[in-house]
Amino acid sequence: VLTRFVFARHNADIQLHRRFIDDGLILWTGTRATALALFAELNALCPSITLTFEISLTTAIFLDLIIFKGPEYNKHKYLDTKTYQKSVNRYLYTPPTSEHPPHCQTATVQTELRRYIKRTTSKADYVSIATLFLHRLHCRGFPFKFLAKCFRSAPRFEDRSSLLLPRQSTTNTPSIVFATTFSRQLL
C-alpha cells in the first residue's frame, strides 16, 4: 500500500510498470539518478525488505523473458523478446520411461515449442532455443525419431502472428448471471 505513494511521486518518469508476485518491470523515461531515488525510497519503506534491481539502457529480464532493444526497436520502436532460461535450471523433463502416455509426452513438447514461438520475436532466436530443447530432451532419453515427429507436428515460427491472437469463443451461448442479495438465512 505504501509503495503506491512512492510510485505516484515518480509517475511522470514511469512509462510502464508491471509486477508479478516478487518480480517487477519498469520502463523508465527519467534519469538514472531519479531511478536510483525511486529505489532508495522503496527500500526505505521497510528496513527488513531490500529490493534488488538492475538498470539497463538496452535489456531487461522479467519472468521468463529477455526484453531488449533489438532490430525491431531500431526499425519501429518495438521491443524485442526472447525466452530467458536461468543458468541453474536442470531441465528435468519427465523422461520417456514414465507412465505418461505418448500423447501427453507429445503435447508437452508441442506446448513448450508453442511457448518459445510466442515469447521470441526473432526466428533465429527461436531456432536456437528449440535446438537446445531438442538436445535436452534427447539427453533425457527421448529418441530422435519421436522428437522429430513432435517437432514436425508442432506449430511453426511462421504461425506466430496467429498464435498471438486471442482465442475466439467456440460457443455463442450467452452467459446467464443470477444475482441476489446476500442473506445468512439462505446460506
Side-chain angles (χ1 to χ4, degrees), residues 31-183:
T31 65
R32 180 179 180 82
T34 56
L36 291 171
L38 166 76
F39 284 106
E41 285 183 56
L42 291 170
N43 279 326
L45 291 175
C46 182
S48 63
I49 298 174
T50 302
L51 297 176
T52 58
F53 59 92
E54 185 176 324
I55 298 174
S56 172
L57 296 175
T58 58
T59 307
I61 295 173
F62 181 61
L63 302 174
D64 65 344
L65 282 180
I66 299 174
I67 305 164
F68 62 101
K69 291 179 179 178
E72 285 302 309
Y73 187 82
N74 296 332
K75 287 184 207 168
H76 309 290
K77 300 298 180 207
Y78 295 142
L79 293 170
D80 287 292
T81 61
K82 59 184 175 181
T83 305
Y84 172 69
Q85 297 182 323
K86 291 183 178 183
S87 58
V88 295
N89 191 337
R90 302 282 306 263
Y91 305 102
L92 299 177
Y93 305 108
T94 305
T97 55
S98 73
E99 291 297 318
H100 291 81
H103 71 273
C104 288
Q105 294 174 341
T106 299
T108 299
V109 173
Q110 292 172 338
T111 302
E112 190 71 350
L113 289 170
R114 178 178 283 115
R115 187 176 75 85
Y116 292 155
I117 290 169
K118 290 170 82 171
R119 284 167 178 63
T120 306
T121 53
S122 156
K123 184 174 183 177
D125 288 336
Y126 167 72
V127 169
S128 175
I129 198 163
T131 303
L132 284 171
F133 182 48
L134 175 74
H135 175 71
R136 290 170 182 150
L137 289 171
H138 183 66
C139 288
R140 285 294 282 171
F142 285 93
F144 275 124
K145 186 176 180 180
F146 171 78
L147 293 172
K149 181 181 171 190
C150 293
F151 274 63
R152 271 193 312 273
S153 61
R156 299 171 8 158
F157 187 81
E158 289 73 22
D159 303 326
R160 185 173 189 271
S161 57
S162 64
L163 292 173
L164 294 174
L165 293 173
R167 288 188 178 184
Q168 299 296 324
S169 175
T170 56
T171 62
N172 292 332
T173 337
S175 299
I176 300 173
V177 178
F178 175 71
T180 185
T181 307
F182 177 76
S183 164

